Amino acid sequence: MSRFVDRVVIHVTAGDGGNGCTSVHREKFKPLGGPDGGNGGRGGDVVLVVDANVHTLLDFHFRPHAEAGSGKPGQGSNRDGANGGDLELRVPDGTVVLTEDGEVLADLVGPGTRLVAAAGGRGGLGNAALASKARKAPGFALLGEPGEARDLVLELKSVADVGLVGFPSAGKSSLIAVLSAARPKIADYPFTTLVPNLGVVTAGESVFTVADVPGLIPGASQGKGLGLDFLRHIERCAVLVHVVDCGTEEPGRDPVSDVDALEAELAQYTPSLGTDLATRPRMVALNKIDVADGKDLAAMVRPEFEARGLPVFEISAATREGLREFTFALAAVVEEARASRPADVPTRVVLRPTAVNDTGFTVTAVEDGFVVRGERPERWIRQTNFDNDEAVGYLADRLARLGVEDELAKLGAVPGTMVIIGDVAFDWEPSTPAGIAAVTMTRRGTDPRMETDHRVSAAERKAARRVRRGQVDPSDEDDE
């Protein structure tokens, strides 16, 4: 027996971008071949895709973790790394994607609808792509960006035109079974229906869907009984039908109090899609008029519901009495609701250019220094290999051109002030102005502005070797 799951938490991780390659072309009789390191490949995305053949979130219940493929690193001879493969996750029609805080990110309705749940990281540039007049043979490459990782909540909300609401054992399952080809479980005990059932109903030329959802009891809006498992599946319905049991012998129960209890729960429930259930059309189906005293009770309470402006239908799911009139009345309400909806239009691409005065970053003073925030500065930090002095110098050049150094100086930063960008904290040392071409590049992988390069030069190694061999007296060299 398959299980129905309509709410899960998934953990999606996109692929990391591949690192760029640092390489110099080497060929006989061509000592200055130039840089030829390729770019890293893009990381794969995690994509949610609506599939008409998927009806439950059960797969995500057992396998909540999903990770896309990472991009491959670049190679020499200008060979770019392969892109990571996208991972497509099939979800049912009517899936709502939320953050863990309850913010709705997307409402996935319609087969083929897609949502990038986690974006793959960009691949890093190789040193061939970083070559310029100032850096003819860069001794560094950019690192690939890590893929996006998110925790998302998936909720399945049935896509149906009509929602049947009522107390347990009111006859909702029997009603949908005679109206459509659906075959829900039917038994003579409460809460027989544990999962929503969808049926397709035909009335003349009108075709619509009906949802039979788990029974409702007082306190369901706070999660009592099947609670929210019932209520979330009626958010999309165009019309709600109160299925009332006119044959119940339970003390304290009668059709009017049952409808009042149902309306109270609907009023207390807050739909996550922002819809208003109070504005939905209502109908009352007085069921089980075939049992003893059922027809008399229906005739007794009918005036009360009509006085409230509710259409009332006396029906019997067992004998099918009154079902034809009831079905065509549902079809009329559904067609009216469909006609009132705005026409579907193709999705329009909206371009929002950056404002002229938008620098793309902000600098905020904190107790110990300054914090720089912005998409580009934080991305550049992730792309930088801090073990390579030339790469760090290139980062300083980019930040200077963006205006970060000028803004830090304007806010009172002095050499040695701690600056935090992304996950990296460092002591700020002003670089040259943004015309970095004046900086003389030395050995690959080094930068004259970086003070962390303490490697001994070849001349110093040669002099020390001569001293060790006794060829030169150290005191003589000092006298010179």
Side-chain angles (χ1 to χ4, degrees), residues 303-388:
E304 173 69 21
F305 291 124
E306 290 178 340
R308 301 182 183 184
L310 296 174
V312 182
F313 298 88
E314 299 178 19
I315 64 171
S316 170
T319 64
R320 303 185 178 231
E321 182 181 351
L323 289 186
R324 180 176 175 81
E325 179 187 359
F326 173 63
T327 303
F328 277 88
L330 284 178
V333 176
V334 170
E335 291 296 337
E336 182 181 352
R338 290 174 178 174
S340 63
R341 294 175 188 166
D344 295 333
V345 294
T347 302
R348 298 176 61 186
V349 178
V350 179
L351 301 179
R352 295 183 174 87
T354 304
V356 175
N357 59 350
D358 184 5
T359 60
F361 70 92
T362 60
V363 179
T364 307
V366 295
E367 182 178 356
D368 299 328
F370 297 89
V371 176
V372 179
R373 294 185 177 90
E375 179 182 353
R376 282 190 289 178
E378 294 179 19
R379 185 175 75 243
W380 295 343
I381 287 289
R382 294 192 296 267
Q383 294 175 332
T384 301
N385 177 11
F386 286 90
D387 294 331
N388 186 301

Side-chain angles (χ1 to χ4, degrees), residues 7 34 46 50 87 102 133 151 154 206 212 234 264 279 284 436 456:
R7 188 181 191 278
V46 178
V50 175
L87 176 62
K133 292 182 178 180
D151 294 337
L154 303 184
S206 179
D212 158 36
I234 64 173
T279 61
V284 177
I436 311 301
V456 180

Side-chain angles (χ1 to χ4, degrees), residues 18-279:
N19 295 335
C21 175
T22 303
S23 174
V24 176
H25 181 70
R26 300 181 186 278
E27 186 177 345
K28 191 175 182 180
F29 306 123
K30 290 185 179 180
L32 302 177
D36 66 349
N39 303 329
R42 177 189 61 83
D45 298 334
V46 178
V47 186
L48 302 179
V49 184
V50 175
D51 190 336
N53 296 318
V54 178
H55 306 287
T56 176
L57 299 173
L58 181 63
D59 288 346
F60 302 109
H61 176 74
F62 293 109
R63 292 183 291 274
H65 296 273
E67 184 173 354
S70 296
K72 302 299 182 181
Q75 300 180 43
S77 300
N78 294 303
R79 289 175 293 177
D80 294 342
N83 294 331
D86 294 341
L87 176 62
E88 293 189 351
L89 304 178
R90 304 288 171 172
V91 298
D93 192 4
T95 300
V96 179
V97 185
L98 308 96
T99 65
E100 289 189 305
D101 297 331
E103 178 187 356
V104 177
L105 298 178
D107 183 11
L108 305 180
V109 178
T113 303
R114 301 169 63 89
L115 171 69
V116 177
R122 301 184 186 186
L125 297 178
N127 66 339
L130 297 173
S132 64
K133 292 182 178 180
R135 292 182 174 84
K136 297 184 181 300
F140 69 99
L142 299 185
L143 303 179
E145 295 184 56
E148 189 177 12
R150 307 176 74 178
D151 294 337
L152 300 174
V153 178
L154 303 184
E155 286 188 352
L156 176 59
K157 301 179 187 294
S158 300
V159 181
D161 298 304
V162 179
L164 304 181
V165 299
F167 274 68
S169 300
K172 301 183 300 298
S173 298
S174 300
L175 181 57
I176 196 174
V178 298
L179 291 178
S180 68
R183 291 296 175 262
K185 182 179 179 180
I186 301 173
D188 58 352
Y189 54 84
F191 294 112
T192 307
T193 302
L194 299 178
V195 302
N197 296 295
L198 289 179
V200 179
V201 181
T202 302
E205 297 181 355
S206 179
V207 179
F208 57 93
T209 55
V210 179
D212 158 36
V213 289
L216 179 64
I217 63 174
S221 58
Q222 282 75 44
K224 200 171 181 180
L226 293 177
L228 302 179
D229 290 338
F230 160 82
L231 290 167
R232 74 164 60 99
H233 290 282
I234 64 173
E235 291 188 29
R236 303 184 192 276
C237 297
V239 57
L240 303 180
V241 178
H242 291 294
V243 181
V244 182
D245 185 0
C246 289
T248 181
E249 297 179 357
E250 185 177 336
R253 289 271 308 277
D254 65 84
V256 176
S257 62
D258 283 0
V259 172
D260 290 340
L262 294 173
E263 287 293 342
E265 294 305 317
L266 295 175
Q268 295 178 34
Y269 175 63
T270 303
S272 61
L273 294 179
T275 55
D276 186 5
L277 297 180
T279 61

